[in-house]
Amino acid sequence: MEAVYFVQPTRENVIMFLSDMAGKSPLYKKAYVFFSSPISRDLVGQIKRDPTVLPRISALREMNLEYFAVDSQAFVTDSERALEELFGDEENTQKGDACLNVMATRISTVFASLREFPSVRYRAAKSLDMDTMTTFRGLIPTKLAAGIWNCLEKYKSSIPNFPQTETCELLILDRSVDQIAPVIHEWTYDAMCHDLLNMEGNKYVHEMPSKTGGPPDKKEVLLEDHDPVWLELRHAHIADASERLHEKMTGFISKNKAAQIHHGGRDGELSTRDLQKMVQALPQYSEQIDKLSLHVEIAGKINKIIREMELREVGQLEQDLVFGDADTKDFINFLRTKPDLSNEIKLRLLMIYAAINPDKFEFDKGLKLMQLARLSEDDMNAVISMKFLVGSSGTKKNSAGAFTLKFDLHKKKHAVRKDRTNGEETWQLSRFYPMIEELIEQLSKGELPKNEYPCMNEPSPTFHGTSHVASVQSAPASGAHSMRSRRTPTWARPRNSDDGYAR
């Protein structure tokens, strides 16, 4: 039997491989070995030194695939302990550096596989004054950028046909740039699915009526790019997605002969011609109706959860806090009048409030608020620990653990986001946007401040010279734009059924 090995190039994995293939009785006749990232010369030499193993290796290659593709435009490196190792309550530079080295290698393999050579930009550490010392947390983007750049420099000389000049831009940020985005309720169809439904990754369990009349049959489906309905609606506001699904279903039934018959749209006996058309339409009808039915079920579940958990009121307070339309008095009143909110919702509200008003959580100031919300001790620690995410702002000596965020405290409205709707009508609760959206727009227009976001490498003239400027100027004036839908705010109008589709 022959075997394929796809492993990380670690000493432990090489030792295990050699134990499988060495000696007179190897585990496999032939081995095809693929490493997920570049292997060191030392480990290659260890493999070559075993005379019984070398003839049994049919392939030995570096694949540069240490990442997981979430969809066609996103990937993760599966660094599950990165938050703890980089932003923990006790700084451990040795553990943090090791974590960053792994992350740098994994991120670099993305560019190796795509054959792209980026201009590497990163959020610079900030020193506020002479009494401020830059912490390890403040240097995380700088260290990660340096690690990625070192890997890319090696790729230029070791990977065939790897670009020698910049082909794209990489912007490296850390969580301190936006603490609110991970905890606020996002109202796109995609975000609602992952937030409110018990999904494992992109896997959703779809319940279908049993053909035998018993309990419903359960079918696992993947909400991914191969699903055209998901691809079209995932970035739409949940209300927009619901309405479009309703339109799709009614339109499909009105145009499709088999669907009309299936839904009892015609009375009387069927003609031979009707039966023929129905049979011809059935395979395509079945596939399309299954896709639409799946998403109608999902959207219906989401709308029901929104009502049961009073998420519209919660979402309104969240966004009012972010845009400065609600103050501490409003926040306290909401907690007092909504004692039955789930612990998760109260925790998320407190985390948003702490990110906006960090001064109110210095020392024991926030204790009464957290007691009012009846948070558990673990949840209280989670709120208090948010101060560790403000690493890029620096830590003043002898500050006794105090932390601050640079918000404009002189404004009457204590807002941490600018209202970007420009007076346009939008879907209710769609004002919020993550900070990365604004940063990417600035980057695409060439307006990202270089003193705050320096470049690790000095870009070549062909990238930032005439050709690049011309391409930016010739682009549409709107620049980068959000995929999320912004339309007339009619989603709050009442519906007559629990699925949210009846008019």
Side-chain angles (χ1 to χ4, degrees), residues 431-459:
R431 285 192 299 166
F432 178 81
Y433 57 92
M435 284 306 301
I436 193 172
E437 181 178 318
E438 187 173 288
L439 294 173
I440 292 299
E441 287 182 2
Q442 292 178 358
L443 180 65
S444 68
K445 296 175 182 178
E447 298 173 356
L448 197 63
K450 289 189 176 181
N451 60 325
E452 297 179 26
Y453 298 91
C455 192
M456 181 59 61
N457 50 314
E458 188 61 34

Tab-separated table of all heavy atoms in Angstrom, residues 431-459:
chain	number	residue	atom	x	y	z
A	431	ARG	N	-26.752	51.077	10.597
A	431	ARG	CA	-25.773	52.176	10.632
A	431	ARG	C	-24.373	51.696	10.981
A	431	ARG	O	-23.391	52.253	10.512
A	431	ARG	CB	-26.197	53.243	11.663
A	431	ARG	CG	-27.344	54.121	11.239
A	431	ARG	CD	-27.472	55.306	12.201
A	431	ARG	NE	-27.743	54.898	13.571
A	431	ARG	CZ	-27.633	55.715	14.631
A	431	ARG	NH1	-27.234	56.965	14.466
A	431	ARG	NH2	-27.929	55.284	15.841
A	432	PHE	N	-24.283	50.680	11.824
A	432	PHE	CA	-22.973	50.262	12.312
A	432	PHE	C	-22.121	49.682	11.184
A	432	PHE	O	-22.606	48.994	10.295
A	432	PHE	CB	-23.110	49.214	13.421
A	432	PHE	CG	-21.793	48.726	13.929
A	432	PHE	CD1	-21.083	49.460	14.868
A	432	PHE	CD2	-21.243	47.556	13.444
A	432	PHE	CE1	-19.850	49.024	15.326
A	432	PHE	CE2	-20.008	47.112	13.899
A	432	PHE	CZ	-19.318	47.851	14.840
A	433	TYR	N	-20.826	49.954	11.268
A	433	TYR	CA	-19.865	49.366	10.339
A	433	TYR	C	-18.566	49.119	11.106
A	433	TYR	O	-18.201	49.879	12.003
A	433	TYR	CB	-19.596	50.300	9.157
A	433	TYR	CG	-19.098	51.668	9.558
A	433	TYR	CD1	-17.732	51.945	9.661
A	433	TYR	CD2	-19.987	52.698	9.881
A	433	TYR	CE1	-17.269	53.194	10.050
A	433	TYR	CE2	-19.542	53.947	10.276
A	433	TYR	CZ	-18.179	54.189	10.357
A	433	TYR	OH	-17.721	55.426	10.749
A	434	PRO	N	-17.848	48.048	10.806
A	434	PRO	CA	-16.567	47.799	11.475
A	434	PRO	C	-15.522	48.793	10.991
A	434	PRO	O	-15.576	49.253	9.847
A	434	PRO	CB	-16.224	46.361	11.049
A	434	PRO	CG	-16.974	46.152	9.780
A	434	PRO	CD	-18.219	46.977	9.878
A	435	MET	N	-14.570	49.123	11.840
A	435	MET	CA	-13.548	50.102	11.488
A	435	MET	C	-12.725	49.667	10.289
A	435	MET	O	-12.236	50.498	9.526
A	435	MET	CB	-12.616	50.346	12.682
A	435	MET	CG	-13.215	51.209	13.776
A	435	MET	SD	-13.836	52.810	13.200
A	435	MET	CE	-12.346	53.518	12.496
A	436	ILE	N	-12.592	48.364	10.094
A	436	ILE	CA	-11.785	47.887	8.971
A	436	ILE	C	-12.384	48.332	7.633
A	436	ILE	O	-11.672	48.525	6.654
A	436	ILE	CB	-11.626	46.345	9.029
A	436	ILE	CG1	-10.530	45.910	8.058
A	436	ILE	CG2	-12.936	45.639	8.745
A	436	ILE	CD1	-10.160	44.447	8.190
A	437	GLU	N	-13.713	48.525	7.611
A	437	GLU	CA	-14.355	48.997	6.379
A	437	GLU	C	-13.831	50.382	6.002
A	437	GLU	O	-13.505	50.649	4.832
A	437	GLU	CB	-15.876	49.031	6.571
A	437	GLU	CG	-16.651	49.479	5.336
A	437	GLU	CD	-18.152	49.444	5.551
A	437	GLU	OE1	-18.643	48.468	6.162
A	437	GLU	OE2	-18.828	50.388	5.107
A	438	GLU	N	-13.726	51.259	6.986
A	438	GLU	CA	-13.228	52.610	6.726
A	438	GLU	C	-11.746	52.590	6.357
A	438	GLU	O	-11.304	53.315	5.457
A	438	GLU	CB	-13.450	53.469	7.966
A	438	GLU	CG	-13.125	54.930	7.788
A	438	GLU	CD	-13.528	55.760	9.003
A	438	GLU	OE1	-14.741	55.965	9.207
A	438	GLU	OE2	-12.621	56.171	9.748
A	439	LEU	N	-10.971	51.736	7.024
A	439	LEU	CA	-9.540	51.663	6.749
A	439	LEU	C	-9.259	51.135	5.344
A	439	LEU	O	-8.357	51.631	4.649
A	439	LEU	CB	-8.850	50.775	7.790
A	439	LEU	CG	-8.841	51.307	9.222
A	439	LEU	CD1	-8.288	50.265	10.182
A	439	LEU	CD2	-8.027	52.588	9.314
A	440	ILE	N	-10.033	50.136	4.915
A	440	ILE	CA	-9.845	49.583	3.573
A	440	ILE	C	-10.210	50.611	2.512
A	440	ILE	O	-9.556	50.718	1.463
A	440	ILE	CB	-10.674	48.291	3.391
A	440	ILE	CG1	-10.115	47.172	4.273
A	440	ILE	CG2	-10.675	47.852	1.937
A	440	ILE	CD1	-8.692	46.781	3.969
A	441	GLU	N	-11.251	51.396	2.774
A	441	GLU	CA	-11.613	52.457	1.830
A	441	GLU	C	-10.481	53.472	1.721
A	441	GLU	O	-10.136	53.917	0.615
A	441	GLU	CB	-12.906	53.137	2.282
A	441	GLU	CG	-14.148	52.291	2.085
A	441	GLU	CD	-15.415	53.000	2.506
A	441	GLU	OE1	-15.327	54.177	2.915
A	441	GLU	OE2	-16.494	52.388	2.431
A	442	GLN	N	-9.897	53.852	2.854
A	442	GLN	CA	-8.778	54.792	2.823
A	442	GLN	C	-7.579	54.202	2.088
A	442	GLN	O	-6.908	54.886	1.310
A	442	GLN	CB	-8.375	55.173	4.251
A	442	GLN	CG	-9.407	56.011	4.991
A	442	GLN	CD	-8.979	56.314	6.414
A	442	GLN	OE1	-7.925	55.872	6.877
A	442	GLN	NE2	-9.801	57.074	7.112
A	443	LEU	N	-7.315	52.913	2.311
A	443	LEU	CA	-6.198	52.247	1.649
A	443	LEU	C	-6.400	52.215	0.138
A	443	LEU	O	-5.471	52.491	-0.637
A	443	LEU	CB	-6.052	50.820	2.193
A	443	LEU	CG	-4.909	49.975	1.608
A	443	LEU	CD1	-3.557	50.583	1.968
A	443	LEU	CD2	-4.992	48.541	2.114
A	444	SER	N	-7.624	51.903	-0.291
A	444	SER	CA	-7.899	51.804	-1.727
A	444	SER	C	-7.797	53.149	-2.432
A	444	SER	O	-7.508	53.222	-3.618
A	444	SER	CB	-9.292	51.199	-1.954
A	444	SER	OG	-10.299	52.090	-1.520
A	445	LYS	N	-8.022	54.233	-1.678
A	445	LYS	CA	-7.932	55.578	-2.252
A	445	LYS	C	-6.560	56.208	-2.065
A	445	LYS	O	-6.342	57.349	-2.475
A	445	LYS	CB	-8.989	56.486	-1.599
A	445	LYS	CG	-10.421	56.072	-1.867
A	445	LYS	CD	-11.383	56.967	-1.076
A	445	LYS	CE	-12.839	56.540	-1.273
A	445	LYS	NZ	-13.759	57.373	-0.461
A	446	GLY	N	-5.638	55.471	-1.414
A	446	GLY	CA	-4.321	56.015	-1.149
A	446	GLY	C	-4.321	57.071	-0.067
A	446	GLY	O	-3.434	57.935	-0.029
A	447	GLU	N	-5.305	57.028	0.841
A	447	GLU	CA	-5.445	58.052	1.879
A	447	GLU	C	-5.106	57.554	3.276
A	447	GLU	O	-5.276	58.279	4.248
A	447	GLU	CB	-6.888	58.592	1.871
A	447	GLU	CG	-7.289	59.257	0.564
A	447	GLU	CD	-8.762	59.638	0.528
A	447	GLU	OE1	-9.469	59.300	1.503
A	447	GLU	OE2	-9.193	60.250	-0.461
A	448	LEU	N	-4.616	56.326	3.403
A	448	LEU	CA	-4.287	55.791	4.723
A	448	LEU	C	-2.990	56.444	5.216
A	448	LEU	O	-1.960	56.376	4.540
A	448	LEU	CB	-4.110	54.267	4.644
A	448	LEU	CG	-4.166	53.493	5.952
A	448	LEU	CD1	-5.534	53.622	6.604
A	448	LEU	CD2	-3.839	52.022	5.713
A	449	PRO	N	-3.023	57.118	6.388
A	449	PRO	CA	-1.838	57.853	6.863
A	449	PRO	C	-0.624	56.944	7.028
A	449	PRO	O	-0.684	55.938	7.726
A	449	PRO	CB	-2.290	58.408	8.220
A	449	PRO	CG	-3.776	58.368	8.190
A	449	PRO	CD	-4.148	57.208	7.326
A	450	LYS	N	0.485	57.318	6.399
A	450	LYS	CA	1.679	56.471	6.447
A	450	LYS	C	2.387	56.536	7.795
A	450	LYS	O	3.132	55.619	8.144
A	450	LYS	CB	2.641	56.877	5.328
A	450	LYS	CG	2.135	56.488	3.946
A	450	LYS	CD	3.185	56.687	2.879
A	450	LYS	CE	2.675	56.199	1.535
A	450	LYS	NZ	3.689	56.358	0.466
A	451	ASN	N	2.165	57.607	8.558
A	451	ASN	CA	2.779	57.662	9.879
A	451	ASN	C	2.075	56.723	10.866
A	451	ASN	O	2.685	56.220	11.803
A	451	ASN	CB	2.770	59.098	10.410
A	451	ASN	CG	1.356	59.652	10.544
A	451	ASN	OD1	0.476	59.328	9.732
A	451	ASN	ND2	1.119	60.481	11.531
A	452	GLU	N	0.790	56.477	10.639
A	452	GLU	CA	0.041	55.556	11.495
A	452	GLU	C	0.076	54.130	10.963
A	452	GLU	O	-0.015	53.165	11.721
A	452	GLU	CB	-1.418	56.023	11.626
A	452	GLU	CG	-1.572	57.372	12.306
A	452	GLU	CD	-3.032	57.796	12.379
A	452	GLU	OE1	-3.907	56.906	12.370
A	452	GLU	OE2	-3.292	59.012	12.436
A	453	TYR	N	0.195	53.993	9.643
A	453	TYR	CA	0.209	52.682	8.998
A	453	TYR	C	1.386	52.618	8.032
A	453	TYR	O	1.222	52.697	6.816
A	453	TYR	CB	-1.117	52.431	8.277
A	453	TYR	CG	-2.306	52.414	9.203
A	453	TYR	CD1	-3.013	53.583	9.475
A	453	TYR	CD2	-2.701	51.234	9.839
A	453	TYR	CE1	-4.099	53.578	10.352
A	453	TYR	CE2	-3.775	51.226	10.718
A	453	TYR	CZ	-4.465	52.399	10.963
A	453	TYR	OH	-5.521	52.387	11.834
A	454	PRO	N	2.614	52.505	8.570
A	454	PRO	CA	3.797	52.480	7.708
A	454	PRO	C	3.901	51.204	6.896
A	454	PRO	O	3.184	50.235	7.144
A	454	PRO	CB	4.951	52.594	8.713
A	454	PRO	CG	4.403	52.081	9.992
A	454	PRO	CD	2.941	52.412	9.990
A	455	CYS	N	4.838	51.224	5.940
A	455	CYS	CA	5.044	50.085	5.049
A	455	CYS	C	6.327	49.370	5.441
A	455	CYS	O	7.371	50.008	5.655
A	455	CYS	CB	5.129	50.588	3.606
A	455	CYS	SG	5.041	49.273	2.389
A	456	MET	N	6.288	48.058	5.563
A	456	MET	CA	7.461	47.282	5.951
A	456	MET	C	8.527	47.335	4.865
A	456	MET	O	9.711	47.412	5.149
A	456	MET	CB	7.033	45.825	6.221
A	456	MET	CG	8.150	44.910	6.654
A	456	MET	SD	8.997	45.440	8.168
A	456	MET	CE	7.654	45.402	9.352
A	457	ASN	N	8.112	47.290	3.614
A	457	ASN	CA	9.044	47.354	2.497
A	457	ASN	C	8.832	48.658	1.734
A	457	ASN	O	7.714	49.158	1.659
A	457	ASN	CB	8.838	46.170	1.547
A	457	ASN	CG	7.383	45.982	1.161
A	457	ASN	OD1	6.499	46.021	2.008
A	457	ASN	ND2	7.123	45.775	-0.118
A	458	GLU	N	9.893	49.200	1.177
A	458	GLU	CA	9.764	50.399	0.354
A	458	GLU	C	9.255	49.951	-1.010
A	458	GLU	O	9.980	49.312	-1.768
A	458	GLU	CB	11.115	51.107	0.202
A	458	GLU	CG	11.014	52.454	-0.477
A	458	GLU	CD	10.142	53.439	0.300
A	458	GLU	OE1	10.147	53.394	1.551
A	458	GLU	OE2	9.443	54.233	-0.342
A	459	PRO	N	7.977	50.235	-1.337
A	459	PRO	CA	7.405	49.716	-2.585
A	459	PRO	C	8.165	50.209	-3.817
A	459	PRO	O	8.691	51.319	-3.829
A	459	PRO	CB	5.972	50.269	-2.571
A	459	PRO	CG	5.719	50.619	-1.144
A	459	PRO	CD	7.035	51.037	-0.583
